Amino acid sequence: MEKQIVKLTSDHITLGQLLKDVGVIGTGGQAKWYLQENTVLVNGTAETRRGRKLVAGDAVTVPDMQITVQD
């Protein structure tokens, strides 16, 4: 499983923006579809909201990738 670290440039990042930034999806518009079709875990809990705010310390798991949010 690939591991990625995303550094925050503000106090939070949305799940949709995070997926775009790490290259899981190509555009923000694909986030809704991606979250409906794939299991995405935020801190071990399934998440389907592309607008979910992520802060430092959050862990996101998508198929074949673990993403950690840091300051």
Side-chain angles (χ1 to χ4, degrees):
M1 178 178 290
E2 181 182 351
K3 293 189 177 193
Q4 293 236 0
I5 294 174
V6 172
K7 299 232 180 226
L8 291 176
T9 56
S10 64
D11 60 336
H12 71 274
I13 186 171
T14 64
L15 181 56
Q17 185 64 47
L18 177 94
L19 295 174
K20 183 178 163 193
D21 288 354
V22 297
V24 173
I25 57 174
T27 66
Q30 293 174 331
K32 185 175 180 180
W33 169 83
Y34 184 85
L35 291 168
Q36 289 175 349
E37 299 292 322
N38 297 278
T39 300
V40 176
L41 304 176
V42 175
N43 300 325
T45 303
E47 184 59 71
T48 58
R49 297 173 294 161
R50 64 183 174 186
R52 163 76 187 263
K53 292 180 182 178
L54 304 170
V55 296
D58 284 341
V60 179
T61 305
V62 296
D64 301 321
M65 188 181 299
Q66 171 94 31
I67 307 158
T68 304
V69 181
Q70 293 183 349
D71 275 334

